[in-house]
């Protein structure tokens, strides 16, 4: 039987998914063994507050900056802290609503939410804190992105052009959808921790 181009592409993607899961599964296990179970308490606490308030304030964002181990001695932090908390919450409330919208795929919700967070000082470039905010807003749908995740994804051609976070979430959606038994019980956040560990502890099979 003659194979179509689409069939070949599907087979190639399935093979790529299989190789990726072969990396993700041991990486996730290593992450759980190597990282304190208390490390994500800040993220969980912010997520719980966001569940009740429907928005994130300056205190929540500051906590996530520390959680991501980023410097607060930057110009954008001064600009953010100079805004009224009500203004910050008005923007983040719209982003929270967007990423929780279950009528659209997570990748589309991520693009919309990221576009809204763009309105805050310091969030026009880079996705580390922005993705942490969106993950705190919808921990079962969103995932965190940072330079270590990008390092792990270099072979999956995730480029740094605008709209990267939406493409990242689409990639995670595809892995979960086509992961078969591998993906059972996994969330996008589980994948991002595995990618984070892989990026921090590269293994030869990660670049095969």
């Amino acid at each position: 039987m003659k194979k179509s181009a689409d069939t070949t592409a599907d087979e190639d993607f399935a093979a790529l998914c299989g190789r990726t899961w072969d990396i993700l599964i041991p990486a996730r296990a290593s992450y759980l063994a190597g990282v304190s179970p208390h490390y994500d308490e800040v993220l969980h606490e912010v997520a719980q507050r966001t569940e009740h308030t429907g928005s994130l304030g300056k205190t929540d964002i500051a906590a996530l900056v520390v959680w991501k181990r980023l410097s607060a001695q930057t110009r954008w932090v001064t600009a953010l802290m100079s805004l009224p908390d009500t203004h910050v919450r008005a923007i983040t409330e719209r982003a929270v609503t967007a990423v929780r919208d279950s009528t659209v795929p997570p990748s589309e919700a991520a693009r919309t939410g990221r576009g809204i967070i763009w309105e805050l000082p310091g969030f026009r470039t880079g996705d580390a804190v922005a993705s942490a905010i969106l993950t705190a807003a919808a921990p079962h749908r969103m995932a965190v992105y940072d330079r270590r995740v990008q390092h792990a994804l270099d072979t999956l051609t995730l480029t740094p052009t605008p709209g990267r976070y939406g493409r990242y979430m689409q990639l995670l959606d595809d892995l979960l959808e086509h992961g078969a038994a591998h993906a059972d019980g996994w969330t996008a956040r589980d994948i991002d921790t595995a990618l984070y560990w892989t990026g921090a502890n590269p293994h030869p099979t990660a670049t095969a």
Side-chain angles (χ1 to χ4, degrees), residues 10 13-14 17-18 21 24 105-107 169-188 191:
D10 288 344
F13 181 75
C17 277
W21 278 105
L24 292 177
S107 57
M169 287 305 305
Q170 181 64 64
L171 181 62
L172 268 56
D173 286 351
D174 291 340
L175 286 169
L176 289 170
E177 181 179 353
H178 300 285
H182 296 307
D184 186 33
W186 281 61
T187 65
I191 294 180

Side-chain angles (χ1 to χ4, degrees), residues 19-125:
R19 292 196 300 271
T20 302
W21 278 105
D22 287 343
I23 297 169
L24 292 177
I25 292 171
R28 172 67 176 163
S30 296
Y31 173 86
L32 293 174
V35 176
S36 168
H38 304 293
Y39 189 84
D40 282 351
E41 286 178 346
V42 170
L43 175 64
H44 297 157
E45 183 176 334
V46 173
Q48 288 171 2
R49 281 202 299 271
T50 306
E51 178 67 27
H52 294 294
T53 63
S55 65
L56 290 87
K58 292 189 291 186
T59 302
D60 299 312
I61 295 174
L64 293 175
V65 167
V66 173
W67 177 72
K68 284 301 299 171
R69 291 178 287 178
L70 300 175
S71 173
Q73 297 178 329
T74 52
R75 195 172 299 172
W76 74 265
V77 173
T78 301
L80 179 68
M81 291 303 165
S82 298
L83 293 175
D85 198 58
T86 52
H87 178 74
V88 174
R89 286 190 177 276
I91 293 173
T92 60
E93 182 177 13
R94 289 162 44 218
V96 169
T97 300
V99 295
R100 289 179 179 174
D101 184 3
S102 59
T103 65
V104 299
S107 57
E108 183 178 336
R111 291 187 187 95
T112 303
R114 182 65 184 91
I116 296 170
I117 293 295
W118 185 89
E119 300 174 24
L120 289 172
F123 290 90
R124 294 191 175 184
T125 59

Side-chain angles (χ1 to χ4, degrees), residues 146-157:
D146 58 23
R147 60 183 177 82
R148 289 185 175 181
V149 167
Q150 178 61 54
H151 182 66
L153 289 172
D154 280 343
T155 56
L156 299 183
T157 64

